[in-house]
Amino acid sequence: MARAAVDVEDLLVRVKTGAEDELAAVAREVAALAGDGRLGEDDDEDGLLVPALLARLAAAGTADARVSVMAALRRLAGCVAGESKERFASIEALSSIVRSLSRDVDERREAIAVLLDLSDIPQVRQRIGRIKGCIVMLVTLRNAHESGTVDDAEKLLSILSSNPQNVLLMAEAGYFLPLIQYLKQGSDMNKVLMATAISKMFLSEHMKSSLGEDGAIEPLVDMFKYGNLEAKHSALGALRNLSSSLQNAEILINSGVTGPLLQLLFSVTSVLMTLREPASAILASIAQSERILLHKDVAPQMLSLLNLSSPVIQLHLLRALNSISGHANAKRARSKIRQNGGVQLLLPFLTKKNVDTKIAALHLMFHLSKDSSQELAEQFKETHLDILVKIISSPTSGDEKAAAVGILSNLPVIDKKVTEILMQANLIPTLMTLFEANIAASVTPQRMWLLEGIAGVFIRFTVTWDRKLQSSAVGYGVVPCLVKLLSDGSVDAKSKAATSLAQLSQSTMALRKSKSPRWLCVPPSAESYCIVHSFQCTVKSTFCLVKAGAVNPLVQILEGEERGADGAVLEALGTLMQDEIWENGSRVIEKASGIHALLRIAEAGELSSQDKALWMLERMFRLEAHRERHGEIAQALLIDLAQKGDPALKPMIGKILAHLELLQTQSSYF
């Protein structure tokens, strides 16, 4: 049966001149005719229908009209081939279709379908990536997981990825799988192109992680190991950009790149010299991962390169060593650095003009001082100590000051020579000024580190065996600073401040006796009279913990959630519980809600803290008033602790329960 003739002229007139609703209707008619095979290339001999539809698509104002026109175009594209199909491939035509990718869901769906049907035309594949925003929108639709569009978007991106320039645009939009495929299986030229692109891209942390997870790092490492100079250079640039992600640093370490990077730094081949700087930067990045500690010889090798390298590479190596030595489990690595002359190598860097290099060296020296303070002190000359004091007192950066103070805080307090040098250098007033400038500043890691260092240095000047030194420190106003740290410092600063206060308080009884007057011309002031020490106490004369206002903040630390300062706090409060003064000391601590705080430590503290807290509670519950006020709440906790706690605590718990009349004093259970 013969096919009924289609009046193409009529369709063409209606397409060109019809209103929006009529355009939609005629477009649906065209689509139906083409779908039934009744409208094809032979019917539109002059090829005018497709350009007319494309012209109306560009100007159509309603979604219905645009969707209907694109559906008609898609059906017509399926009916034509060769040169006729190339009418669809103009930039103007494709731009009209691409604009619909950003519109509502039905329009997006139809636009992707049209582009996918047209993608077998070479010109379409070449031109579509050049249309502004097209690749970005396709990547967005692929990632949106929208039913009806995601699969077609992924198929279209896959087709477009045959062009390396499109792949680069996809990568810039955050879609990296095609780029990674080129890195794995592309030509050498395309591998270099992709690696160079990664090296120049701005990558968010998420993008870096995605590239690492999806497999970009391994082929880049292979390019670095086995490629020519151009491949090595581009691969190192890409790895440098990716290595700042901690997750990628671990992948890099696992890939075995550490050894080849170090070999490159030791190389004297002139052609490879340009690769040394990016190689050292990558080492600085991957050293942030604790997995670097598995490579036990890395730190000594880096150390041996320090004086053989340019200033830029020196900085990278110092940062790498700083990261390595700063890891929680790096004690052995720090020991190896010291054994290989690390401290002596670093000392000249303290006077470097380059601030970044000096800071990196100071940070590294701080880490090296953590667990070998005596060894470090032996290598420090007076000039080096003076340099550190000068850094602290000069208008240097906060990082420099914090590191210098931190190093001094780690030097052994028993080294009297160091103390003498620091006193001659007027360190205490310098630290006081620095403290006042930072205690009220906004909370930052640098401020926290600085205050921890200052608190640590104060321990040196408050040692129990040198009352003259204690008196000098107190005279400079150290005690109010220590009390402020109890409230405003980190847990480490609080612990160190409590240690200094404990050392000072241990001297109070002896100072009281040495200053006891035989007669008084003026009656003692009620304000200065201390109920604990039964004496006219002041902070300056007897270093009194009570007059310093330290009892309440010390108790508040025990009531907090952090347990790191408990031991030092208990030592400080324990000085008020000495044999001669324990009754009055108990009353002052109880008034500050100390019994509740001590019970809390007895229940949940470290064993040594539990033991100290129970020792104090045993004395406090000797007083009837305390038994009446707190006995009921204490007994349940203590019985439970006796049953479930460490056996070493039982004897002291037994004594307390005996005071509470719940046990005979000589109970065999305890």
Side-chain angles (χ1 to χ4, degrees):
M1 183 176 172
R3 183 178 78 166
V6 175
D7 189 346
V8 176
E9 286 294 328
D10 176 64
L11 293 173
L12 189 58
V13 170
R14 289 160 61 198
V15 166
K16 286 182 175 181
T17 62
E20 292 276 321
D21 55 348
E22 189 180 351
L23 173 63
V26 72
R28 284 192 286 270
E29 190 178 332
V30 169
L33 290 168
D36 293 341
R38 295 171 58 202
L39 179 62
E41 199 170 0
D42 296 336
D43 300 289
D44 184 19
E45 293 179 357
D46 296 327
L48 299 175
L49 192 55
V50 168
L53 285 166
L54 287 168
R56 289 306 303 270
L57 174 64
T62 66
D64 184 40
R66 290 191 297 269
V67 170
S68 300
V69 169
M70 284 190 289
L73 288 168
R74 186 153 60 94
R75 298 293 187 279
L76 287 171
C79 300
V80 298
E83 291 182 12
S84 300
K85 200 168 184 178
E86 289 177 12
R87 296 174 195 147
F88 296 87
S90 72
I91 286 288
E92 294 78 10
L94 293 172
S95 296
S96 297
I97 298 168
V98 165
R99 277 195 288 273
S100 290
L101 292 174
S102 61
R103 291 173 174 147
D104 68 37
V105 61
D106 291 332
E107 200 167 340
R108 288 198 295 269
R109 221 176 261 145
E110 197 61 52
I112 291 180
V114 175
L115 291 172
L116 194 57
D117 283 354
L118 295 176
S119 63
D120 61 342
I121 306 172
Q123 290 92 329
V124 169
R125 293 197 298 274
Q126 289 170 7
R127 292 170 183 168
I128 197 167
R130 302 208 306 264
I131 298 173
K132 188 176 180 180
C134 179
I135 298 287
V136 172
M137 284 187 276
L138 288 172
V139 170
T140 302
L141 292 172
R142 175 198 171 270
N143 295 337
H145 303 296
E146 184 178 85
S147 176
T149 60
V150 62
D151 291 337
D152 283 353
E154 187 143 12
K155 285 177 190 172
L156 187 52
L157 286 168
S158 178
I159 291 166
L160 296 175
S161 68
S162 60
N163 183 327
Q165 293 303 318
N166 287 340
V167 170
L168 297 179
L169 291 170
M170 292 175 202
E172 287 175 5
Y175 179 45
F176 298 112
L177 290 177
L179 179 146
I180 293 169
Q181 281 303 110
Y182 270 85
L183 284 176
K184 289 178 176 178
Q185 299 171 353
S187 66
D188 288 348
M189 184 177 72
N190 279 333
K191 286 180 180 180
V192 169
L193 179 67
M194 299 302 152
T196 303
I198 293 174
S199 70
K200 294 179 179 178
M201 276 183 201
F202 170 78
L203 297 171
S204 66
E205 282 303 305
H206 176 70
M207 287 175 163
K208 291 175 187 177
S209 297
S210 294
L211 278 160
E213 288 170 4
D214 293 339
I217 288 174
E218 290 81 357
L220 288 169
V221 170
D222 286 342
M223 285 176 67
F224 162 58
K225 286 181 179 177
Y226 310 117
N228 60 22
L229 183 62
E230 186 183 24
K232 288 179 188 294
H233 197 279
S234 61
L236 283 175
L239 290 173
R240 181 177 188 169
N241 201 2
L242 295 174
S243 63
S244 60
S245 157
L246 187 59
Q247 182 176 310
N248 289 345
E250 293 183 359
I251 297 172
L252 274 163
I253 293 168
N254 293 338
S255 76
V257 77
T258 310
L261 288 171
L262 283 167
Q263 287 172 15
L264 178 58
L265 292 180
F266 279 107
S267 172
V268 292
T269 306
S270 58
V271 74
L272 298 177
M273 296 302 278
T274 57
L275 305 180
R276 298 180 74 210
E277 194 273 329
S280 62
I282 294 168
L283 283 170
S285 291
I286 66 176
Q288 295 175 77
S289 167
E290 199 153 0
R291 291 191 67 81
I292 196 72
L293 296 176
L294 298 174
H295 298 265
K296 295 179 174 57
D297 293 327
V298 166
Q301 288 183 65
M302 288 183 185
L303 199 65
S304 67
L305 285 162
L306 264 183
N307 285 334
L308 305 174
S309 304
S310 67
V312 175
I313 294 174
Q314 279 182 337
L315 180 58
H316 290 315
L317 290 173
L318 285 168
R319 285 175 173 166
L321 288 165
N322 187 34
S323 292
I324 291 169
S325 60
H327 289 307
N329 297 312
K331 189 172 182 178
R332 184 176 296 177
R334 290 194 291 269
S335 177
K336 273 205 165 188
I337 294 172
R338 288 192 298 267
Q339 288 169 13
N340 283 271
V343 174
Q344 287 300 317
L345 273 171
L346 289 173
L347 288 172
F349 284 92
L350 299 183
T351 53
K352 288 279 185 183
K353 290 184 179 178
N354 184 294
V355 173
D356 290 333
T357 301
K358 184 161 61 167
I359 289 173
L362 283 164
H363 281 216
L364 178 53
M365 193 170 285
F366 167 73
H367 288 308
L368 296 180
S369 70
K370 285 177 180 176
D371 36 33
S372 187
S373 55
Q374 186 57 51
E375 182 183 339
L376 189 73
E378 289 169 2
Q379 297 183 63
F380 263 71
K381 307 298 182 191
E382 184 172 349
T383 51
H384 301 127
L385 293 171
D386 286 338
I387 289 168
L388 292 175
V389 173
K390 187 176 179 181
I391 290 170
I392 296 165
S393 58
S394 301
T396 51
S397 70
D399 249 356
E400 287 178 77
K401 292 181 192 295
V405 173
I407 294 166
L408 293 179
S409 75
N410 285 337
L411 296 176
V413 296
I414 59 172
D415 193 320
K416 294 181 180 179
K417 182 63 178 173
V418 170
T419 302
E420 183 184 329
I421 293 168
L422 296 179
M423 284 298 290
Q424 288 172 354
N426 287 317
L427 180 61
I428 297 179
T430 300
L431 292 180
M432 296 291 297
T433 303
L434 196 55
F435 176 89
E436 293 300 337
N438 284 273
I439 189 64
S442 57
V443 177
T444 63
Q446 183 194 93
R447 170 189 177 270
M448 182 178 74
W449 185 24
L450 178 63
L451 293 178
E452 287 172 357
I454 291 172
V457 177
F458 283 162
I459 293 174
R460 167 182 298 281
F461 298 118
T462 57
V463 289
T464 54
W465 61 80
D466 192 337
R467 292 219 185 99
K468 186 178 178 182
L469 185 62
Q470 286 184 323
S471 186
S472 294
V474 171
Y476 281 120
V478 160
V479 172
C481 296
L482 296 171
V483 175
K484 282 182 185 176
L485 283 171
L486 296 178
S487 301
D488 296 332
S490 66
V491 66
D492 185 57
K494 289 174 181 176
S495 178
K496 289 172 177 175
T499 297
S500 286
L501 289 168
Q503 291 181 159
L504 291 169
S505 186
Q506 285 173 43
S507 299
T508 301
M509 289 298 294
L511 288 169
R512 183 193 73 167
K513 291 172 183 175
S514 69
K515 295 178 187 291
S516 292
R518 295 182 183 175
W519 50 271
L520 289 169
C521 295
V522 181
S525 161
E527 186 180 336
S528 64
Y529 186 76
C530 175
I531 60 169
V532 174
H533 300 110
S534 303
F535 187 70
Q536 299 297 115
C537 282
T538 65
V539 172
K540 286 193 174 181
S541 63
T542 58
F543 316 154
C544 177
L545 204 63
V546 180
K547 292 300 177 183
V551 176
N552 279 324
L554 286 167
V555 169
Q556 285 165 14
I557 293 171
L558 300 180
E559 291 175 336
E561 296 301 319
E562 295 177 301
R563 303 271 61 89
D566 289 349
V569 168
L570 291 168
E571 285 299 319
L573 290 173
T575 61
L576 303 180
M577 303 287 290
Q578 296 173 60
D579 289 342
E580 296 178 55
I581 58 172
W582 68 267
E583 288 189 50
N584 290 333
S586 293
R587 293 187 181 99
V588 167
I589 294 170
E590 188 271 342
K591 189 177 179 181
S593 303
I595 289 182
H596 285 283
L598 290 169
L599 287 169
R600 179 176 182 168
I601 302 306
E603 181 182 29
E606 295 288 327
L607 181 59
S608 59
S609 297
Q610 287 180 306
D611 189 49
K612 185 73 175 181
L614 288 170
W615 174 82
M616 293 174 69
L617 285 166
E618 187 276 326
R619 295 197 160 198
M620 296 179 87
F621 279 122
R622 292 178 192 177
L623 300 179
E624 185 176 352
H626 296 166
R627 293 197 297 270
E628 290 176 357
R629 203 170 295 137
H630 306 285
E632 188 174 342
I633 193 170
Q635 64 186 36
L637 184 151
L638 292 168
I639 290 170
D640 187 61
L641 186 60
Q643 293 171 344
K644 299 176 183 177
D646 193 288
L649 303 175
K650 284 184 177 181
M652 190 59 72
I653 295 172
K655 287 184 180 181
I656 300 171
L657 291 175
H659 294 321
L660 298 175
E661 299 180 354
L662 293 172
L663 280 178
Q664 295 295 323
T665 307
Q666 301 299 324
S667 170
S668 61
Y669 178 74
F670 293 96

